[in-house]
Amino acid sequence: MPLVGRNKEIDRILSAIRGPKETALAVIGGRGMGKSALLSGIRSLSDYRTVFLSPSAAESGWPLSGLTALLNEMDDPVLNRAADDLMRSSAEAMTVPAVSAMLLSSLHQRPSSRTIIVIDDADALDPATQSVIGFLARRLAGTEVVLIAGMREERPGSPLSGLPALHLRSLSHSDTVRMLEGLPTGRTTTAAAHAVAAATGGNPLAAVELHNRLLARYDDGRHALPVPLSTQSSFDAEYASAVGALRSGARTLLDLLALSFHSDVSTIVKILPEVWTATDELLTAGLVKRSGQHLWIADQLLRGHVYAAMPPDVRTANHLAMAEAARDTDRQGHSWHVSFTALDVQTPFQLLRHAVDLVRGGEVPFAVEFIERAITLNPSEAETAERLTGLAELLFTRGELVYARRYVEWAQGVTRNPALILRLTGLSFEIQFVQGAAVRCSMVQRLVQEFGQHHPEYSAGLLAVGALYYAERWELKEAAELLRQGGAFRGSASVQHLAMAEHAKLLLESLSGTRPNPARRHEQAGGHEQAVRHEQAGGHARQGSARPAGLLLRGRALTYAEQHESAREAFAMLNGSTAPEHANWRHTGALMAIDNEIRAGNVGAAVRLIDELELSEPGMNYHRGTRHLFRVWRAYSLGDDELARTEASEAHRYVQAGGHPALTAQLAGCQGHFALLRGDLAESVAQLSRAAEIGTGLGNPTLLRCEADLVEVLVRLGRHREATQALQRLESRSVGLRSPWLLMVVARSRAMLADGEQSLQLFGQALEDRNGNRLERGRTLMCYAERLHAFGRLRHAREALLRAKVMFDEAGADAWTQHVDALLLDERWEPARPQGNPSMLLLADHERSLAMMVARGMRNKEIAATLYVSVRTVEVRLTAIYRKLGVESRAQLTALAAGKGTTAAQPYVLPVL
């Protein structure tokens, strides 16, 4: 079974294995939680010798049988003698204290290196062995042994209780789905994996067993899912035991509840008068849950077990009884139970109508059962396709993308109606838009050209949404083309579609940098929103969506215009919307809010938002490429290079499969930026050059933000001509753009390329602009400090570094702060007292630094490259030094600078980041 979703558990085990002290760790997980799979994988986690023991149940009654098996597996010379002594000892001498003391002494005598002992199901060992293991586990210091014991549960009073414990929790829904999709099985569907994940509650073994059974019958994805998902599994004995302990009334009630996702008590009481007594018994046993007038079986595997255990005739009789009892009190329940007892042609359509009400009421799992039952009864009717289309659109607006896609595909296989084909294909595109998948613009255009006349209003909306999608991918020509094509449907477009098209135009202006104040234009566009704000959300995928769309696009345009505080307010308003039909806009807004903080230089705030997003929505339903990018950026920003490499590998796999040039450039720019920070200049220039090459197709250099980093890394590599050319390209593309960020990075780049004192003056000018981007201001201060240091002005350089650290601390930029701390700890950044030959005191700090470079044998060209000045400037300064010291040659200057007793710190060459 793949170890999906167990990264935290693996990290905890690795910390125990690699830690400086010997320790014991109990790994506790119930049936099916993947404990054995996790323990068996420990062998591959380290290079230490690993001994694995899985006890035999047949030997659990033999005293010390588990201990002798463990010693045999270890096969250590010292421990082998202890095992021989143990076998020869009389029964009176084989007491637990005596054996424990003997083994502890033997462990201390072992000359071998660290050994990892892994015992699966340690609580199933014979009691004597458990006592010995428990004694040793608390006294491992000095033994070079790490003990990891797996247990089903922690029993009070057990010899193994009280050890440091790692409790295995259920997998998240998304991790369960990833695990199932990674299994080497036959064809599956995403909807089936999600249904299994929901039914099994994150238990890996239960999920695998149910999934395999489901595939055996429904492997082609063209069958309705069974309701409920019944299975024969490893848990049947436990369920049978729990059900068998119930009294007759409680068992009858459980049978009735198994028929439906939830049931109305007022219906059941007509069949089972003692319902309240039976309910109390089931609630006490934890087998059911209650909310108001509704009861349901919480564990869907238990429900499947009870349902499968009922004889078919009993099941039919119960459905008949429940249908009759619900006739006047529960229309949804009546239609549900009738579908199992009568073949009425209208029943499937009634179920689909009820499913709409359930989705609107937020009961999506219950609605899915109604839909699956309907398509089981009537899978190919044209009216079924019509109703499934409306349900798919409704599910899409609620963020239920998996089931929306399932019913889109089902309806596509049934209908031949051109208007429905347009809506279904368009909705399929919209789902891909939201997920961040690549959709060719020509496909959208062709769809509207062929079928647009059959539903002009929908076509107008689809083109507006498509324009927003391509604008966000920075594919501005495609977005503009869709807006142009949408003009042909303007007369049929609804008010909300017109508003979305207007917002898309404003977003394009912000992306191109031609709109300095997008807030005002968005306020003007708000009149379209007022007209639709009170419309009710219907089956259409974008009905009533103008208001959240306006907030999202206003915030996005403000982000690109670098009005980050106003953008933050817009995203906060969107996040405050609780309407279920705004789910897609809300989730997208959460991602855009992160990008807003990154662009504002608020690293700490962006990391917090990413962490919150991972906790609230750990899967990748929305904008998967952006999620991958944020995970890479977060890991680098926290200074976790190992995690960053892992995340970058995942991101590259996604990018290569998705065809997303903007994302490719962003990922390369991110990796190049942090490679520059690490000092890996070769990697940095390769990544940044790749990003800049892609970025040349964008008119606005503030989108990608990689060219200033490219200038810096080229300067650090001494490739000044290429750096100058890169800066000239950046400046030529910056004409007419009003970007505070751009002004600062261009000023910093100019200062880095300047010679001598002019560079210091330019750094001073760059730092005069106190815009809100603390990260970029900190970087400018750091580069300024390095230039001061190269000139020998160590005190001023250190002060500039300390100011940079303050900026990085305020921004929450941990990786940058760590780098500054490393520089501050370097003694070469400490101002050195002028010692040695007294004549050297005649020189200024920067002149003394140059003289020491000459004394170390550096040629004028090397000195010029180090100080970012011309060779002519070096020659002029050396002439001035010769005049001050009264020397006539480099040899005399070298002898003077290297006089006896000289202990001054050597000048520091400009460090790489």
Side-chain angles (χ1 to χ4, degrees):
M1 185 184 302
L3 292 178
V4 175
R6 295 300 188 194
N7 292 337
K8 291 182 179 179
E9 289 83 354
I10 291 174
D11 289 343
R12 175 73 183 280
I13 292 173
L14 282 174
S15 67
I17 293 174
R18 297 172 179 172
K21 296 181 179 180
E22 299 84 351
T23 187
L25 179 66
V27 179
I28 303 173
R31 179 186 294 274
M33 295 306 297
K35 169 179 59 65
S36 296
L38 179 61
L39 294 178
S40 63
I42 292 178
R43 294 188 182 95
S44 61
L45 295 181
S46 73
D47 296 329
Y48 295 123
R49 181 171 182 249
T50 302
V51 178
F52 188 88
L53 175 65
S54 182
S56 170
E59 298 179 359
S60 60
W62 297 357
L64 298 177
S65 60
L67 184 60
T68 56
L70 176 61
L71 294 175
N72 184 62
E73 287 290 333
M74 294 186 70
D75 193 22
D76 182 275
V78 176
L79 295 178
N80 286 343
R81 291 197 297 270
D84 293 340
D85 293 342
L86 186 62
M87 296 299 294
R88 291 194 297 267
S89 299
S90 61
E92 292 77 11
M94 291 175 58
T95 62
V96 169
V99 172
S100 301
M102 178 182 65
L103 283 180
L104 183 59
S105 175
S106 300
L107 287 174
H108 280 285
Q109 296 172 18
R110 292 171 62 245
S112 58
S113 59
R114 175 160 293 195
T115 301
I116 314 302
I117 299 177
V118 182
I119 305 176
D120 192 14
D121 291 330
D123 49 351
L125 292 167
D126 60 275
T129 296
Q130 289 190 47
S131 297
V132 174
I133 296 297
F135 175 85
L136 296 175
R138 295 171 177 83
R139 296 164 178 83
L140 292 174
T143 64
E144 284 298 324
V145 168
V146 174
L147 174 65
I148 300 176
M151 298 186 289
R152 285 283 181 89
E153 59 183 355
E154 190 172 14
R155 299 172 184 170
S158 166
L160 300 175
S161 64
L163 296 178
L166 169 62
H167 293 270
L168 297 185
R169 308 299 181 187
S170 299
L171 296 178
S172 68
H173 182 92
S174 58
D175 283 336
T176 305
V177 172
R178 284 200 303 127
M179 178 193 70
L180 295 176
E181 291 181 338
L183 293 174
T185 58
R187 180 183 175 186
T188 185
T189 63
T190 302
H194 277 263
V196 170
T200 54
N203 185 292
L205 177 61
V208 170
E209 291 183 341
L210 180 55
H211 190 252
N212 289 340
R213 182 172 174 84
L214 194 62
L215 290 184
R217 297 176 58 188
Y218 307 97
D219 61 342
D220 60 358
R222 296 308 303 167
H223 290 83
L225 297 174
V227 179
L229 295 175
S230 59
T231 179
Q232 295 176 351
S233 70
S234 303
F235 301 86
D236 282 348
E238 294 180 11
Y239 291 140
S241 176
V243 173
L246 299 174
R247 288 181 290 185
S248 174
R251 174 59 193 270
T252 301
L253 175 58
L254 201 64
D255 285 347
L256 295 175
L257 294 178
L259 301 176
S260 177
F261 191 83
H262 68 59
S263 302
D264 194 309
V265 177
S266 62
T267 299
I268 297 176
V269 74
K270 298 176 183 179
I271 304 172
L272 189 66
E274 65 273 22
V275 61
W276 296 116
T277 302
T279 298
D280 289 341
E281 183 178 350
L282 293 178
L283 288 172
T284 302
L287 301 181
V288 302
K289 290 187 177 181
R290 178 189 173 191
S291 178
Q293 282 292 106
H294 290 99
L295 284 172
W296 67 94
I297 299 176
D299 186 342
Q300 291 301 298
L301 290 181
L302 171 62
R303 178 188 169 197
H305 172 82
V306 173
Y307 188 86
M310 275 188 285
D313 57 333
V314 174
R315 195 182 305 151
T316 302
N318 285 338
H319 274 301
L320 282 169
M322 289 290 286
E324 182 61 30
R327 184 182 299 276
D328 300 323
T329 58
D330 182 6
R331 290 193 305 166
Q332 290 179 353
H334 174 73
S335 298
W336 173 259
H337 293 292
V338 164
S339 72
F340 289 89
T341 60
L343 297 178
D344 188 338
V345 69
Q346 290 301 315
T347 298
F349 307 131
Q350 292 174 356
L351 292 175
L352 294 175
R353 283 196 294 271
H354 292 315
V356 171
D357 296 333
L358 289 169
V359 172
R360 288 176 175 168
E363 298 186 77
V364 173
F366 198 7
V368 168
E369 290 199 357
F370 271 65
I371 300 171
E372 296 295 334
R373 182 62 184 165
I375 58 181
T376 298
L377 298 174
N378 196 357
S380 57
E381 284 284 343
E383 187 175 351
T384 300
E386 174 78 30
R387 294 181 183 275
L388 281 178
T389 302
L391 273 164
E393 291 171 337
L394 187 60
L395 288 165
F396 171 71
T397 63
R398 265 67 176 174
E400 298 291 341
L401 306 184
V402 171
Y403 289 113
R405 178 181 290 277
R406 171 172 172 78
Y407 301 129
V408 163
E409 293 174 350
W410 193 287
Q412 284 176 324
V414 174
T415 187
R416 297 294 182 268
N417 184 321
L420 275 188
I421 292 174
L422 172 67
R423 287 170 60 189
L424 289 168
T425 309
L427 182 55
S428 178
F429 288 158
E430 288 192 65
I431 293 171
Q432 294 178 71
F433 293 164
V434 170
Q435 290 180 329
V439 179
R440 292 198 301 273
C441 181
S442 59
M443 296 174 64
V444 180
Q445 292 178 295
R446 181 178 177 183
L447 174 68
V448 174
Q449 288 170 356
E450 291 188 11
F451 298 97
Q453 70 275 16
H454 298 288
H455 201 323
E457 181 184 355
Y458 185 91
S459 299
L462 176 63
L463 290 171
V465 172
L468 296 176
Y469 165 76
Y470 290 108
E472 189 55 43
R473 287 171 60 96
W474 300 348
E475 298 176 17
L476 307 187
K477 293 181 180 178
E478 289 79 358
E481 179 60 27
L482 290 188
L483 286 176
R484 186 200 61 76
Q485 188 176 1
F489 297 93
R490 189 173 182 85
S492 302
S494 64
V495 177
Q496 59 262 42
H497 296 158
L498 292 174
M500 294 175 74
E502 181 64 22
H503 287 306
K505 292 177 183 177
L506 299 181
L507 181 59
L508 283 177
E509 291 177 354
S510 298
L511 287 166
S512 62
T514 60
R515 176 56 52 189
N517 188 6
R520 182 173 301 173
R521 287 289 304 276
H522 273 274
E523 289 170 1
Q524 296 171 1
H528 293 292
E529 300 172 12
Q530 297 292 336
V532 298
R533 194 170 295 174
H534 301 293
E535 292 186 9
Q536 293 182 347
H540 198 277
R542 290 172 300 279
Q543 189 80 359
S545 61
R547 173 63 176 169
L551 284 172
L552 175 69
L553 298 173
R554 180 173 185 267
R556 197 59 170 147
L558 288 167
T559 294
Y560 288 129
E562 298 181 34
Q563 300 178 33
H564 299 292
E565 184 62 36
S566 298
R568 191 177 299 118
E569 293 174 0
F571 291 130
M573 292 175 63
L574 177 59
N575 187 55
S577 172
T578 58
E581 63 270 18
H582 297 165
N584 293 333
W585 300 109
R586 244 188 343 264
H587 284 289
T588 303
L591 291 166
M592 300 303 100
I594 294 170
D595 188 61
N596 182 61
E597 299 300 338
I598 292 175
R599 290 177 176 273
N602 300 327
V603 179
V607 169
R608 286 193 296 273
L609 289 176
I610 293 173
D611 291 341
E612 291 172 5
L613 184 65
E614 291 295 322
L615 288 174
S616 62
E617 207 272 310
M620 280 195 168
N621 282 337
Y622 293 92
H623 304 281
R624 293 171 180 171
T626 303
R627 288 287 294 275
H628 278 301
L629 177 64
F630 285 164
R631 287 176 173 178
V632 174
W633 178 88
R634 175 190 176 277
Y636 277 129
S637 297
L638 295 177
D640 191 340
D641 290 343
E642 183 175 353
L643 176 60
R645 284 191 292 271
T646 301
E647 296 291 359
S649 178
E650 292 289 331
H652 279 295
R653 276 197 289 269
Y654 176 84
V655 167
Q656 290 170 0
H660 197 320
L663 184 62
T664 302
Q666 287 175 284
L667 183 59
C670 175
Q671 291 185 281
H673 173 86
F674 286 102
L676 172 61
L677 172 60
R678 296 193 308 272
D680 188 351
L681 300 186
E683 172 68 11
S684 179
V685 74
Q687 294 287 1
L688 291 172
S689 298
R690 183 186 184 196
E693 182 180 357
I694 299 174
T696 54
L698 303 172
N700 187 349
T702 67
L703 297 180
L704 194 53
R705 295 188 170 188
C706 68
E707 289 166 281
D709 285 343
L710 180 59
V711 172
E712 181 174 340
V713 72
L714 288 171
V715 170
R716 293 182 181 279
L717 287 169
R719 295 156 61 175
H720 294 160
R721 179 179 297 178
E722 295 175 65
T724 301
Q725 293 172 349
L727 178 57
Q728 289 173 348
R729 286 194 299 269
L730 176 59
E731 290 180 312
S732 66
R733 298 176 62 215
S734 304
V735 175
L737 298 179
R738 301 178 182 180
S739 165
W741 173 87
L742 194 56
L743 290 174
M744 171 162 281
V745 299
V746 168
R748 182 174 71 226
S749 300
R750 288 172 179 166
M752 294 190 72
L753 275 168
D755 287 341
E757 294 294 332
Q758 183 188 10
S759 71
L760 300 183
Q761 295 174 4
L762 291 175
F763 270 119
Q765 294 173 12
L767 291 169
E768 288 176 359
D769 183 11
R770 299 178 177 273
N771 72 72
N773 197 315
R774 289 166 291 190
L775 177 64
E776 292 299 341
R777 185 170 177 79
R779 290 186 62 188
T780 303
L781 279 166
M782 177 179 286
C783 293
Y784 181 44
E786 292 164 355
R787 184 59 56 88
L788 287 169
H789 192 285
F791 288 161
R793 302 180 185 181
L794 303 187
R795 181 172 61 83
H796 295 96
R798 187 174 180 83
E799 289 175 356
L801 264 189
L802 291 171
R803 290 166 59 197
K805 183 180 179 183
V806 170
M807 293 292 103
F808 294 144
D809 282 337
E810 290 179 353
D814 292 349
W816 288 95
T817 302
Q818 291 167 14
H819 182 73
V820 174
D821 286 339
L823 291 179
L824 289 171
L825 290 173
D826 192 325
E827 62 180 10
R828 291 175 294 181
W829 280 79
E830 293 288 346
R833 296 179 179 179
Q835 300 177 359
N837 195 314
S839 62
M840 298 296 290
L841 297 174
L842 297 173
L843 303 179
D845 287 345
H846 68 279
E847 292 175 325
R848 192 179 306 110
S849 298
L850 196 153
M852 294 304 297
M853 292 180 186
V854 172
R856 292 203 304 271
M858 295 178 66
R859 293 176 296 179
N860 288 358
K861 185 176 181 181
E862 295 171 328
I863 296 173
T866 301
L867 297 180
Y868 295 106
V869 297
S870 66
V871 175
R872 176 61 181 163
T873 300
V874 174
E875 293 171 350
V876 171
R877 289 182 182 176
L878 280 176
T879 301
I881 292 171
Y882 291 166
R883 186 179 303 113
K884 280 186 179 183
L885 297 179
V887 298
E888 298 179 354
S889 66
R890 296 175 72 91
Q892 291 178 359
L893 177 60
T894 300
L896 192 64
K900 185 177 180 181
T902 300
T903 58
Q906 294 182 348
Y908 187 61
V909 178
L910 180 67
V912 295
L913 293 178

